[in-house]
Amino acid sequence: MDLRDKLGGIFLGVLLAGLYAVSYYNYLLFHSISEIFSIVIGFALFVVAWNTRRVMDNRYFLFIGIAYLFVAFFDLIHLFAYKGMGVFPANDANLPTQLWIAARYMEAVSLLIAPFFIRTKARAGIMFSCCFGVTAVVSLAIARNIFPDCFVEGTGLTTFKIYSEYAICAILAAALAVLVRHRAEFDGKVLNLLVASILATIVSELAFTFYVSVYGLSNMVGHYFKIISFYLIYNAVVVTGLVKPYDLLFRNLTESEARLRERTEQSENANRELESFAYSVSHDLRAPLRAISGFSEMLLKEIGGSLDPESKRKFNVIRENARKMDQLIDDILNFSRTGRTFLSRSGINMEMLVQDVWRELRDGNSERNMELKMDPMPPATGDRALLRQVLSNLLGNAVKFTRDRELAVIEVSGSNSGAFNSYCVRDNGVGFDMQHYDKLFEIFRRLHSSGDFDGTGVGLAIVKKIIDKHGGRIWAESKPGEGAAFWFTLPAGVEL
């Protein structure tokens, strides 16, 4: 037990002893102090719960805080209506006893319902409105004399009041069972305080089934245990929530962080295993491919002179498909690596990067009549190697799909739009039908026949993954026969 708990225990002991002494001097004063104590705590629970609702992951405490506001409201009116206070015209024990029963039903049912809000994301406004509605209906029933009588002068407690106390005890016992069933959701100390609070409330209710006078001994005992109950729930929610908010308000967040670290470690291990597997598969697949390609080429050289044209074509088909399979393996590995690559961010001169990529494409297609039109482009921030791959794929596609044009015109432009820059690669090629747009960036999806244009259907999937990794987005527009335009955004860079 730490110093705060010891001081709290001493305070509670002094309070109970002082109240006992006060009860001999003036029982009405004893009752008023007892009720004020629980009323203040009820309002304090609401203040803490309401003001921490945006960071309170466990909605149990939010609901309890809201419900206890209305419990405190009933207790406050009960205090004013108590026999001898002279606030209400009817100076008898029935009205305060009715308000007492209303408050205890509200408290018990709230404790029973609260565990069901642990994992839900119910809105605070809806909780408040529901509790307010119930309070308004019960208050109206008491004011209109619809609520059953609970105390008759000269006779004492009514049957309704006595059985209500037992019913409230049963509800509290059920609330205790439900709470214990959800014990994994609570800090151990907080759970013990909540359990003790409910048990003290049950003892308090049992005491109130025996009294025959509002100034009697059982009434005093009942108030003692009510004070203890409210003190315990105060410690569970208010003190623990304010002094040790990390344990109460962020307990689930702490557990989530631990699970996240564990899953991150598992993911890193899985990535290493996947990379090892990918390279192993790559090696195992490439070995037979090299054998197929190599031996078919050797056979073609050795017996090519004796083969008819159709047989030579078939040998070339074998070699070409082996080459395509080798390229597909490369593309799959590149796609897999893209997701695991850490970004090395720096400022990038996009104009120079485009020119660098274009030179390579130009040298590889020297027989083609191609023209690059490039407008001024703002610099970007990102991983140079990955963005080079983006431009290589987009410009490479533009070159590929303008193959049938007498003059291939490829335009590259860019503009600044705040924190992000947008870039566009446009061509005058064959284009594509926008009705298939949803498949455009999917891996292995091709919008043109492999007989018309070569490729594996992985390039645009890689491009999208890289842009997504940079926090940007990519989209396209096209019409068949009218070329295509690809836009993508990247974080803006400083002028270089």
Side-chain angles (χ1 to χ4, degrees):
M1 182 180 293
D2 58 27
L3 179 61
R4 189 186 71 253
D5 292 333
K6 291 179 180 178
L7 292 175
I10 292 172
F11 166 77
L12 180 61
V14 170
L15 175 64
L16 295 178
L19 285 173
Y20 182 75
V22 167
S23 68
Y24 281 97
Y25 170 73
N26 188 310
Y27 192 89
L28 193 60
L29 179 61
F30 159 80
H31 178 266
S32 298
I33 295 173
S34 301
E35 290 301 319
I36 289 171
F37 180 84
S38 60
I39 291 166
V40 169
I41 287 182
F43 278 100
L45 290 174
F46 170 74
V47 170
V48 171
W50 188 261
N51 286 286
T52 57
R53 66 189 185 279
R54 300 190 187 282
V55 295
M56 189 177 287
D57 195 29
N58 191 330
R59 293 278 170 167
Y60 176 94
F61 296 104
L62 175 59
F63 180 76
I64 287 294
I66 293 172
Y68 267 70
L69 171 68
F70 295 97
V71 172
F73 167 78
F74 279 124
D75 282 341
L76 179 63
I77 306 303
H78 162 78
L79 170 62
F80 291 149
Y82 204 72
K83 186 177 181 179
M85 293 293 288
V87 176
F88 290 90
N91 191 26
D92 59 37
N94 186 45
L95 177 59
T97 310
Q98 287 177 316
L99 291 164
W100 173 272
I101 285 296
R104 304 290 72 80
Y105 267 122
M106 186 82 177
E107 181 181 2
V109 172
S110 298
L111 288 168
L112 177 63
I113 295 174
F116 296 100
F117 290 96
I118 291 174
R119 288 296 180 185
T120 64
K121 295 298 180 183
R123 294 181 180 179
I126 295 176
M127 293 181 184
F128 187 93
S129 299
C130 291
C131 291
F132 179 84
V134 171
T135 302
V137 170
V138 174
S139 299
L140 185 62
I142 293 174
R144 295 295 182 88
N145 294 318
I146 300 173
F147 199 90
D149 289 337
C150 293
F151 191 92
V152 177
E153 293 293 338
T155 305
L157 301 179
T158 65
T159 303
F160 170 77
K161 200 274 183 185
I162 294 173
Y163 282 109
S164 287
E165 297 285 11
Y166 290 127
I168 290 168
C169 289
I171 296 171
L172 288 168
L176 183 60
V178 175
L179 177 65
V180 172
R181 195 169 65 201
H182 290 84
R183 59 185 176 277
E185 305 293 341
F186 297 90
D187 175 81
K189 179 179 178 180
V190 173
L191 178 66
N192 290 337
L193 289 169
L194 291 172
V195 169
S197 175
I198 294 175
L199 289 174
T201 305
I202 292 174
V203 174
S204 173
E205 292 307 302
L206 291 174
F208 281 112
T209 62
F210 296 109
Y211 83 91
V212 293
S213 168
V214 293
Y215 300 130
L217 177 62
S218 59
N219 190 299
M220 182 190 301
V221 172
H223 277 95
Y224 275 154
F225 278 95
K226 182 188 176 187
I227 289 171
I228 294 171
S229 169
F230 273 70
Y231 173 79
L232 291 169
I233 203 166
Y234 168 83
N235 273 275
V237 180
V238 178
V239 173
T240 309
L242 293 176
V243 178
K244 300 169 72 177
Y246 187 80
D247 291 340
L248 177 60
L249 304 181
F250 300 105
R251 182 171 180 269
N252 286 346
L253 178 60
T254 305
E255 294 175 353
S256 297
E257 289 176 351
R259 288 195 297 268
L260 180 60
R261 284 194 298 270
E262 181 180 352
R263 290 174 183 174
T264 300
E265 185 176 345
Q266 292 173 351
S267 178
E268 289 174 352
N269 292 334
N271 281 336
R272 284 192 291 269
E273 292 175 3
L274 178 61
E275 189 166 355
S276 175
F277 173 76
Y279 280 111
S280 175
V281 169
S282 168
H283 178 271
D284 292 344
L285 286 176
R286 279 199 167 99
L289 283 177
R290 284 194 294 267
I292 292 171
S293 181
F295 280 108
S296 61
E297 184 176 2
M298 290 170 58
L299 283 171
L300 195 58
K301 288 180 180 179
E302 291 177 4
I303 62 174
S306 61
L307 294 176
D308 58 85
E310 178 61 18
S311 297
K312 288 183 179 180
R313 186 191 69 80
K314 290 177 179 177
F315 266 105
N316 287 326
V317 168
I318 293 173
R319 294 177 60 203
E320 178 62 18
N321 278 279
R323 183 193 67 78
K324 288 182 178 179
M325 179 61 77
D326 188 66
Q327 181 61 48
L328 181 60
I329 292 170
D330 276 339
D331 288 345
I332 292 173
L333 287 175
N334 286 334
F335 182 80
S336 175
R337 289 194 202 102
T338 301
R340 303 192 304 272
T341 302
F342 290 100
L343 294 181
S344 177
R345 295 182 184 271
S346 63
I348 299 172
N349 188 317
M350 294 296 286
E351 294 180 18
M352 293 182 62
L353 194 58
V354 168
Q355 291 170 349
D356 185 29
V357 172
W358 180 251
R359 276 193 296 270
E360 288 188 8
L361 291 170
R362 176 77 269 182
D363 292 343
N365 296 270
S366 56
E367 76 288 354
R368 296 271 309 277
N369 186 15
M370 301 188 302
E371 179 184 354
L372 174 68
K373 295 181 178 180
M374 185 169 64
D375 293 338
M377 300 169 65
T381 299
D383 188 295
R384 182 180 178 83
L386 291 178
L387 294 183
R388 192 181 195 286
Q389 190 172 5
V390 167
L391 290 171
S392 180
N393 282 340
L394 293 179
L395 290 171
N397 279 351
V399 169
K400 177 169 63 177
F401 292 112
T402 56
R403 185 184 62 193
D404 298 333
R405 299 294 188 256
E406 182 178 344
L407 173 62
V409 179
I410 299 168
E411 302 174 45
V412 183
S413 59
S415 62
N416 178 264
S417 54
F420 281 79
N421 296 332
S422 58
Y423 302 92
C424 179
V425 176
R426 186 187 302 272
D427 64 62
N428 65 336
V430 297
F432 60 85
D433 193 335
M434 288 292 287
Q435 69 175 345
H436 304 302
Y437 180 80
D438 58 326
K439 302 176 182 178
L440 187 62
F441 297 102
E442 293 181 7
I443 190 170
F444 303 134
R445 292 288 191 174
R446 294 173 49 85
L447 303 188
H448 300 88
S449 167
S450 59
D452 297 330
F453 299 95
D454 62 355
T456 60
V458 180
L460 287 179
I462 292 175
V463 168
K464 186 178 187 307
K465 182 172 279 194
I466 293 174
I467 297 300
D468 289 346
K469 198 174 183 70
H470 281 78
R473 63 189 186 95
I474 184 169
W475 68 99
E477 289 184 4
S478 180
K479 288 184 179 179
E482 297 184 17
F486 285 82
W487 282 271
F488 61 94
T489 61
L490 292 171
V494 297
E495 293 296 331
L496 301 175

